[in-house]
Amino acid sequence: MNSVATLEASDLLIVRSILRSMANEHWSVAEALDEYDIPEDLRDEYEAQIEACFVD
């Protein structure tokens, strides 16, 4: 796997973990991103990925 594919797979695993934590811990998206130490410059990207899980 090349490095881009590895990063994308890693991102998806993190997003899945964030979603699970949000459900289990009743966290908001912001709280979950804080708990997973997502850097400020990547938060918009992660928020968009999380939103895509809920919006058709």
Side-chain angles (χ1 to χ4, degrees), residues 1-20:
M1 218 190 276
N2 65 27
S3 61
V4 172
T6 302
L7 286 174
E8 288 175 359
S10 174
D11 284 348
L12 290 176
L13 289 174
I14 292 169
V15 168
R16 287 178 60 185
S17 294
I18 288 171
L19 290 169
R20 191 175 309 114

Side-chain angles (χ1 to χ4, degrees), residues 17-29 32 50 54:
S17 294
I18 288 171
L19 290 169
R20 191 175 309 114
S21 294
M22 287 172 59
N24 291 339
E25 304 294 333
H26 306 284
W27 288 339
S28 67
V29 174
I50 292 166
F54 293 101

